[in-house]
Amino acid sequence: NDSNSNDIQPVNKSLNRQTTGSSANDLLSDDKFTSLVIELVYVEGFEPTQEAIDNFTTFISNRTFKPDGISLEKRSIPSSGKDTHTIEEIADIEREQRTKYNALNQIAIWALFIDGKSEKDEDNEVVLGTAYWNTSFVIYEETVQNSSNSIFEPKRSILESTVINHEFGHILGLTNLGSSMQTEHEDEENPKHCDVEDCLMYWESEISRGRLNMSSIPQLDAQCLADLKANGGR
């Protein structure tokens, strides 16, 4: 019986393949979307800590208006077998594996935790995460694991939480990436990052070189918080 098939909205995947920061208001406010689903996918053996996942969902709920709730669906995928990944290769994995897209009043986030490393890694600077579309980010979990949990390194859940929240901050339009700056605080040397050193959106939150002695998760500073509020957030 196909009589009710007309009720099903066709999925427009292109709506989840827009520029980073362009869905900031949709995520922050409840004007268009009243709930949010996180599709958290990890390569077997590279699952983030439960603590980091909990911190991430708390971070979202503290900043956004989603009266119908935030849900999370987690699953593993096999490794691609590659040692390094370009962002285009990361996007290909998403095209193949992503199942959740914006639908009716629910907005969907894709969070990929992957083995291997970013092609942008250098000898003294490694990339921990990248936000690459409006609702998509990747965490280089193998790199995160190699940069945590030993002497002189942060606890794994703290580093994971820092990188996850930082990348999601970019998706929320920070800094000057879709949520308009209420005061001038973009780092000239590291565009789209906050120039306040202890802010979550400082560039060292996604490049492992600096924050190796941190004992807690950096928070958003007052200027970044003001930008989010001005764009419909909490």
Side-chain angles (χ1 to χ4, degrees), residues 32-96:
K32 197 165 169 187
F33 299 103
T34 54
S35 68
L36 182 149
V37 60
I38 304 158
E39 185 172 8
L40 192 155
V41 175
Y42 59 92
V43 169
E44 286 157 19
F46 295 91
E47 183 177 356
T49 60
Q50 188 57 48
E51 206 177 326
I53 294 172
D54 293 344
N55 288 338
F56 179 39
T57 51
T58 300
F59 180 78
I60 297 176
S61 55
N62 285 345
R63 300 277 71 88
T64 65
F65 289 99
K66 292 291 170 262
D68 295 327
I70 294 161
S71 56
L72 185 132
E73 297 187 14
K74 183 173 70 165
R75 72 175 192 277
S76 68
I77 58 170
S79 170
S80 69
K82 290 184 173 140
D83 292 332
T84 57
H85 305 273
T86 64
I87 274 299
E88 197 46 50
E89 287 168 339
I90 297 283
D92 283 342
I93 294 171
E94 174 178 345
R95 288 185 186 100
E96 193 181 316

Side-chain angles (χ1 to χ4, degrees), residues 67-134:
D68 295 327
I70 294 161
S71 56
L72 185 132
E73 297 187 14
K74 183 173 70 165
R75 72 175 192 277
S76 68
I77 58 170
S79 170
S80 69
K82 290 184 173 140
D83 292 332
T84 57
H85 305 273
T86 64
I87 274 299
E88 197 46 50
E89 287 168 339
I90 297 283
D92 283 342
I93 294 171
E94 174 178 345
R95 288 185 186 100
E96 193 181 316
Q97 296 285 351
R98 182 167 182 163
T99 63
K100 300 275 174 201
Y101 294 89
N102 298 355
L104 300 173
N105 58 357
Q106 183 175 72
I107 192 164
I109 293 288
W110 164 265
L112 175 63
F113 293 76
I114 202 162
D115 56 344
K117 58 187 185 182
S118 164
E119 57 145 5
K120 293 196 160 74
D121 281 7
E122 295 169 14
D123 288 342
N124 63 338
E125 287 188 358
V126 293
V127 178
L128 300 173
T130 309
Y132 56 95
W133 277 334
N134 57 326

